[in-house]
Amino acid sequence: MNVETLRYYERRGLLPAPDRAPSGHRSYGEETVRLLRVIKEARALGFTLAEIAEYLSAARRSASPSEALRLRMAAKIDEIDSRLAALRRMREELARVVGCACSSLDHCTCGAAYLARRGREPGARPLLLHVTNGESAGNTLRQTGIGGAVLPWQDVLHEGPVPAGSRTELRRVRAAFLSSCGWGSRRALLASLERRDRQFEALRDGLQVVLWFEHDLYDQLQLLDALALAHGENTPPQLIVVGAFPGKPGFAGLGELTADELETLWPARGLASEETLDVAAAIWDAFCAPEPSALADRSARSVSSLPFVAPALRRLLEELPAASDGLAATERRALQAVAEGARTPQAAFLAVRRVEEAPFLGDAWFYRALVTLGRLLETFDGTPLPAAPPLTDGQVFARLPIRLTDEGERVLRGEPDRAELLGVDRWLGGTHVTADNLWRWTGWQAC
């Protein structure tokens, strides 16, 4: 902000008078930065400075506002509600065009945030960098008084190839895969991944980087990726990794916490030890290996500093074709949900999400799993499912009437084997599972 703007806000009473150094220079703290952000956002929404001053003054007073002020505030709420309704209608139309099936980018892991962030360069390098799983916790972190910049990691590492090799090659492979799934052009996605890694290089300059992640598979793979990238850097990152929160028995993740609740986690952060970084790098190498044996071994070994990694890896290995029926765990649960009455992809997604101990799968990626089941599922008029969003309209796909075919019912009973009937072509980290490289999961070991 312009210096004269700051001084003008002080004269108007919007900002408190700052402390001054002996030289006379003004010294602004984090609270002033937070207040300035509020003022700028209010101005962008159409509030006048007089309105902002009046509302801030009312908020600072302990006594109730006057009746006249209450009436003006209520009228402003009505105006905001009208704007929200218009924005909601516009969002629904944009989501339909993009092919995003998510109700909010703040609460999804489908990949649409890649499109939303395309071409956006970071501003000045911050003194503090928060790294988290996506836009949900990221947006709330921006509302806290902690300060710093936010870097969403944004990669669905449990889907598609994550082969061993150079970082440059990994970014290229990930961008190509995500582009093939419809999340943007390969060039834009690659640029997004490159910008993300460049921002994370703040560690090389000795700046404070804090990793905020939760307990599910989606987060734990991102956490391993970030820790492996931090391995050997000058300054280790700090960690805030949680699997529960007081007063939230059904805790699903950091994205459901308020700014005040996130701030209560701040004092519990701890520096990632050299041993933690070593272990994380070794597990990441096992994840990227061309066969899952080392990963299976790691899934059976607990790590005190990374307590959620082993359960997440076991859940990942369940996505290998099962020895009993050739189905991945998500595929089996999807077929069971449809057999038990889920009549649309959206209903099946919600049913599968309810039985996951630590839900990790976004709706668009679940819909992609439905499509890979091929002739085991069909629409009510007997036609195959169309391509999954965002390659098709996500809202339309979510409401398709679906049912099991006769083959789907037989596969669900274990006769015949899904992998033998339909073949298999999918990646589990660096392992390419095909008919000629058919790894199966039996529970505690791959065979």
Side-chain angles (χ1 to χ4, degrees):
M1 299 190 82
N2 186 280
V3 171
E4 293 305 319
T5 302
L6 289 174
R7 294 175 181 173
Y8 177 66
Y9 285 175
E10 291 171 25
R11 293 195 298 272
R12 291 288 301 263
L14 292 169
L15 297 178
D19 295 331
R20 287 180 179 266
S23 63
H25 291 127
R26 294 169 171 84
S27 177
Y28 296 100
E30 284 292 340
E31 184 58 32
T32 301
V33 174
R34 188 176 183 178
L35 188 55
L36 279 172
R37 188 177 293 118
V38 170
I39 294 171
K40 289 190 72 173
E41 289 177 351
R43 291 284 286 162
L45 291 171
F47 286 77
T48 66
L49 284 179
E51 288 175 327
I52 296 170
E54 192 172 28
Y55 301 150
L56 288 175
S57 176
R60 291 178 183 134
R61 293 196 302 268
S62 57
S64 299
S66 66
E67 186 63 25
L69 182 56
R70 284 168 54 85
L71 287 172
R72 288 199 295 277
M73 285 182 171
K76 203 67 181 180
I77 291 173
D78 185 53
E79 180 183 332
I80 291 171
D81 283 345
S82 297
R83 292 184 186 180
L84 288 174
L87 287 170
R88 199 170 292 114
R89 290 192 296 270
M90 184 179 294
R91 188 202 183 284
E92 290 173 356
E93 180 60 20
L94 291 173
R96 185 190 65 78
V97 174
V98 170
C100 174
C102 309
S103 60
S104 168
L105 291 188
D106 283 353
H107 302 282
C108 86
T109 59
C110 71
Y114 280 110
L115 301 178
R117 299 294 175 264
R118 186 177 67 181
R120 183 176 298 180
E121 289 287 355
R125 175 156 290 196
L127 297 178
L128 170 63
L129 180 65
H130 304 284
V131 179
T132 190
N133 64 3
E135 292 305 315
S136 180
N139 284 340
T140 313
L141 275 170
R142 294 183 181 100
Q143 301 167 26
T144 68
I146 298 172
V150 177
L151 173 62
W153 205 248
Q154 290 179 342
D155 199 353
V156 190
L157 294 164
H158 55 79
E159 293 286 343
V162 191
S166 69
R167 192 73 188 177
T168 299
E169 178 62 13
L170 176 61
R171 289 193 296 259
R172 187 194 67 77
V173 169
R174 294 302 298 167
F177 167 71
L178 293 165
S179 178
S180 71
C181 295
W183 293 115
S185 74
R186 185 180 305 189
R187 178 180 297 179
L189 290 166
L190 180 58
S192 176
L193 294 174
E194 290 171 342
R195 283 194 300 271
R196 180 199 67 187
D197 285 3
R198 282 200 305 271
Q199 280 188 275
F200 194 67
E201 290 174 359
L203 285 168
R204 295 180 181 173
D205 298 330
L207 302 182
Q208 185 180 12
V209 175
V210 184
L211 308 183
W212 299 70
F213 287 97
E214 56 216 38
H215 59 303
D216 62 76
L217 173 60
Y218 176 81
D219 275 52
Q220 290 298 297
L221 290 180
Q222 290 188 349
L223 174 61
L224 289 171
D225 187 16
L227 289 175
L229 195 58
H231 189 238
E233 294 293 352
N234 297 333
T235 306
Q238 296 178 337
L239 299 179
I240 298 176
V241 184
V242 297
F245 192 86
K248 294 186 180 292
F251 178 72
L254 295 167
E256 67 183 31
L257 302 183
T258 66
D260 288 341
E261 289 170 335
L262 283 178
E263 286 192 31
T264 66
L265 299 174
W266 183 244
R269 68 193 185 281
L271 201 65
S273 67
E274 184 177 349
E275 180 184 4
T276 297
L277 293 173
D278 288 343
V279 171
I283 296 174
W284 179 256
D285 287 344
F287 173 61
C288 299
E291 61 178 52
S293 303
L295 194 65
D297 178 63
R298 289 286 178 179
S299 74
R301 297 155 58 184
S302 61
V303 180
S304 59
S305 59
L306 299 170
F308 306 115
V309 166
L313 295 182
R314 289 195 289 272
R315 179 60 188 88
L316 175 66
L317 288 164
E318 290 177 358
E319 291 302 291
L320 287 171
S324 57
D325 54 19
L327 289 165
T330 297
E331 294 175 336
R332 185 182 305 103
R333 291 170 181 174
L335 292 177
Q336 288 171 341
V338 176
E340 292 169 5
R343 292 291 175 260
T344 64
Q346 184 178 48
F349 169 69
L350 294 175
V352 171
R353 188 174 178 85
R354 283 192 293 270
V355 301
E356 283 283 1
E357 186 174 340
F360 66 94
L361 199 61
D363 51 5
W365 293 104
F366 175 79
Y367 298 156
R368 186 171 180 269
L370 292 183
V371 172
T372 62
L373 288 169
R375 61 181 190 264
L376 306 186
L377 286 172
E378 64 183 9
T379 65
F380 275 18
D381 60 7
T383 59
L385 271 61
L391 296 173
T392 56
D393 189 318
Q395 304 296 326
V396 172
F397 189 97
R399 296 191 296 266
L400 284 174
I402 59 172
R403 64 188 179 193
L404 296 183
T405 63
D406 291 340
E407 282 183 310
E409 292 177 356
R410 290 199 299 273
V411 167
L412 193 53
R413 295 194 299 266
E415 47 181 55
D417 182 281
R418 178 256 192 260
E420 295 175 0
L421 177 69
L422 301 180
V424 59
D425 184 2
R426 66 161 300 167
W427 288 82
L428 195 85
T431 303
H432 191 189
V433 184
T434 65
D436 296 327
N437 190 39
L438 188 54
W439 291 86
R440 291 180 180 266
W441 185 245
T442 60
W444 281 100
Q445 61 182 4
C447 63

